[in-house]
Amino acid sequence: MGQILTTGAVLPLVILIAALALGGYFLARRRALASAQGDSRNLHSLPSYYGYNAVMSVAVPALLVLGLWLLVQPMLVQSSVVDMIPAEAVPEGSSVNLIMSDVRRLADGLDAAVSAGALSAGDATDLSAADDLRAWLAERGVAIGAEISPEVLAAAQAYRQMTATGNFWRNIVVALIALIALFLVLRETDAEFRARNRVEGGIKALLILAASLAILTTVGIVLSMLFETINFFNLHPWTDFFFGSSWAPNFRGDSDLSILPLLWGTLYISFIALLVAVPIGLFAAIYLSEYAGPKVRATAKPLLEILAGIPTIVYGLFALLTVGPFLVQVFGRGDAGLLGVDWMSGATSVLTAGLVMGIMLIPFVSSLSDDIINAVPQSLRDGSFGLGATQSETIRQVVIPAALPGIVGAVLLAASRAIGETMIVVLGAGAIARISANPLEAMTTITTRIVSQLTGDSDFASPETLVAFALGLTLFVLTLGLNVLALYIVRKYREQYE
């Protein structure tokens, strides 16, 4: 146990908590039965509930404190170490964040070398004896890319010391919490203790916490984008972003950063994708739910849904290497083409990306529509057949109208999926921001520009970098609106059957 408390690794501490919780299960269960003279009928709850209560009482507080400690400690250590780096130690063209990355890399390298036995703890603490510190460390397995200044070395040593101290007290505090919780839960365990009520209340609290974390994560994402978007609009006029007509970013301070060409490309490609996915997906859903036999359905539906499991990068390669060249042979190459026209100059185009994205969306539309159509009560079909309608008439006039709100919701969900797609667009549509109605021209979308603006070394201080957050927030609002609209349509126009 002493070794566990002095190490910085988290896994041994988690194993200790699990061991205490498991031991608490058997001890609490035995104590409850002993208080009832060995007769479980005299207990308020089943014996297992007393054990589950011990597990929850020991593990949950200890793990929560451990998780919070792991989140807070790095921020506190970094804020303390940053204050140790003087302004003159930051080279021109660099930043404190880059210096801190060197500090963390050096500290982690020293810790890894000590753990592997390449360095002794004393050598790692006092490195001033080495003339060429970088080469000396490289000989011992610690590779550092840049020269190590005295300020970086001092900051790295302080970082190691603070981290080691924090890890030590973290292990002490978490272990004490687990031991104290074990002592308290065993003390309150007796035949009259309402263990089942405590366990069910704890499970309910954990479920509420899980739901809250999901909601808070979404709120955190939105707020992070919102604050950076506000910083962007402080540096760049919002009128140019929303109402400009060109996208031409550069780092000279005179960029044109209008979302309209990107928004047009996004909606255009998504529209073509839906033109492909909605008819095919809907017809496939009608066939599987209304015409196909059990054996055909059991085989065809999983095969169709395999499309949803293919990585989007594979779809992008398919667009670049197969669909794009085929379209060039049809609509390009002049007299050498199939149609003898020269409308398409390259393999990347709106039509290329739209067709492949539509193929990707087919299982989204077909699976959701199939489930919705199957949810229509069989009594409606039987009533239609009883009135003399054929099967096709029943589908057109009874089944589809009854399932239409759900089908519309499925289409809108597929549309939001198409708007957020990146890899297919990167490889299939090109990277030119323009407003054009020609589907055979290359265009780009919001998601691809977000990736482009955040690729490379970025200090998040220029409009050309911060514009990615404004684009992301706009895309989030757009997809959120589609999802809300889909839910509204489904709930408002859904038929209620008894």
Side-chain angles (χ1 to χ4, degrees):
M1 182 173 177
Q3 183 179 2
I4 291 177
L5 294 178
T6 56
T7 182
V10 177
L11 181 59
L13 186 59
V14 174
I15 294 175
L16 174 62
I17 296 172
L20 292 175
L22 183 61
Y25 175 87
F26 294 104
L27 291 175
R29 193 174 184 275
R30 180 184 301 175
R31 184 178 177 85
L33 287 173
S35 66
Q37 290 78 41
D39 188 355
S40 61
R41 293 175 297 178
N42 296 329
L43 295 175
H44 173 273
S45 307
L46 293 175
S48 58
Y49 277 107
Y50 294 91
Y52 295 147
N53 177 59
V55 171
M56 292 178 56
S57 300
V58 172
V60 172
L63 292 177
L64 284 179
V65 172
L66 176 60
L68 290 175
W69 201 297
L70 292 175
L71 289 175
V72 174
Q73 177 180 305
M75 295 186 291
L76 295 179
V77 171
Q78 177 159 332
S79 63
S80 299
V81 174
V82 165
D83 296 336
M84 299 175 56
I85 302 177
E88 56 270 15
V90 181
E92 184 178 356
S94 182
S95 64
V96 177
N97 291 332
L98 295 178
I99 298 297
M100 278 304 303
S101 65
D102 293 337
V103 169
R104 290 191 296 270
R105 188 159 50 246
L106 177 58
D108 294 340
L110 292 175
D111 289 336
V114 171
S115 300
L119 276 177
S120 65
D123 290 337
T125 303
D126 184 12
L127 298 176
S128 59
D131 295 331
D132 189 351
L133 182 58
R134 183 182 174 190
W136 188 80
L137 290 174
E139 292 176 357
R140 287 154 179 81
V142 182
I144 304 297
E147 293 296 334
I148 303 173
S149 64
E151 293 82 4
V152 171
L153 178 59
Q157 296 290 18
Y159 188 93
R160 291 183 64 242
Q161 181 62 36
M162 294 180 185
T163 301
T165 303
N167 290 341
F168 174 77
W169 285 110
R170 176 199 68 200
N171 297 341
I172 292 290
V173 170
V174 173
L176 284 177
I177 289 175
L179 288 172
I180 293 172
L182 178 60
F183 171 76
L184 294 177
V185 75
L186 291 178
R187 191 178 66 173
E188 69 178 359
T189 299
D190 55 32
E192 301 299 326
F193 179 66
R194 299 175 178 270
R196 179 176 58 83
N197 297 8
R198 176 76 65 83
V199 171
E200 291 179 351
I203 293 176
K204 181 180 179 181
L206 288 177
L207 295 176
I208 294 174
L209 178 62
S212 301
L213 287 176
I215 296 173
L216 292 176
T217 300
T218 304
V219 173
I221 293 173
V222 174
L223 291 179
S224 63
M225 290 192 298
L226 179 62
F227 292 146
E228 297 297 340
T229 301
I230 293 174
N231 293 333
F232 167 71
F233 287 130
N234 289 334
L235 299 175
H236 191 82
W238 64 273
T239 53
D240 176 69
F241 179 76
F242 287 109
F243 302 108
S245 59
S246 64
W247 173 268
N250 60 67
F251 289 88
R252 298 190 302 269
D254 56 347
S255 300
D256 292 329
L257 302 174
S258 173
I259 193 177
L260 291 183
L262 308 181
L263 185 61
W264 171 257
T266 300
L267 297 179
Y268 200 178
I269 295 174
S270 300
F271 176 73
I272 294 178
L274 292 177
L275 285 182
V276 175
V278 172
I280 297 177
L282 183 57
F283 292 161
I286 293 174
Y287 170 75
L288 291 176
S289 61
E290 301 296 324
Y291 291 100
K295 293 184 178 180
V296 175
R297 175 181 172 83
T299 303
K301 188 171 183 179
L303 291 176
L304 185 62
E305 292 177 347
I306 287 177
L307 292 174
I310 298 176
T312 56
I313 184 65
V314 177
Y315 281 110
L317 294 175
F318 176 66
L320 182 65
L321 301 177
T322 304
V323 178
F326 172 75
L327 293 177
V328 170
Q329 289 186 351
V330 175
F331 298 103
R333 296 187 178 182
D335 294 336
L338 296 179
L339 298 181
V341 296
D342 195 13
W343 296 343
M344 191 173 178
S345 59
T348 56
S349 68
V350 172
L351 187 59
T352 302
L355 290 176
V356 176
M357 192 183 300
I359 296 173
M360 181 197 69
L361 294 177
I362 288 174
F364 289 89
V365 178
S366 64
S367 294
L368 291 174
S369 299
D370 178 52
D371 294 337
I372 292 164
I373 292 173
N374 282 325
V376 176
Q378 182 63 32
S379 59
L380 292 181
R381 298 178 176 85
D382 295 338
S384 178
F385 293 146
L387 292 175
T390 63
Q391 186 172 11
S392 61
E393 291 173 339
T394 300
I395 293 173
R396 292 196 313 269
Q397 301 178 14
V398 177
V399 177
I400 296 301
L404 188 59
I407 294 173
V408 172
V411 172
L412 291 178
L413 291 176
S416 65
R417 176 69 179 84
I419 290 173
E421 177 54 41
T422 302
M423 293 310 305
I424 295 176
V425 179
V426 170
L427 297 178
I432 301 176
R434 59 158 64 100
I435 299 177
S436 173
N438 186 0
L440 301 179
E441 291 183 350
M443 294 186 194
T444 190
T445 62
I446 295 176
T447 54
T448 58
R449 291 302 92 194
I450 292 175
V451 174
S452 176
Q453 297 307 115
L454 294 180
T455 301
D457 296 331
S458 305
D459 56 0
F460 298 101
S462 63
E464 291 74 19
T465 300
L466 292 174
V467 69
F469 297 95
L471 294 174
L473 185 60
T474 305
L475 188 66
F476 174 81
V477 172
L478 182 60
T479 54
L480 178 64
L482 285 175
N483 286 312
V484 171
L485 180 60
L487 293 175
Y488 172 78
I489 291 175
V490 171
R491 291 179 179 177
K492 183 175 179 61
Y493 297 103
R494 179 175 53 197
E495 294 287 344
Q496 299 294 334
Y497 303 105
E498 297 181 358

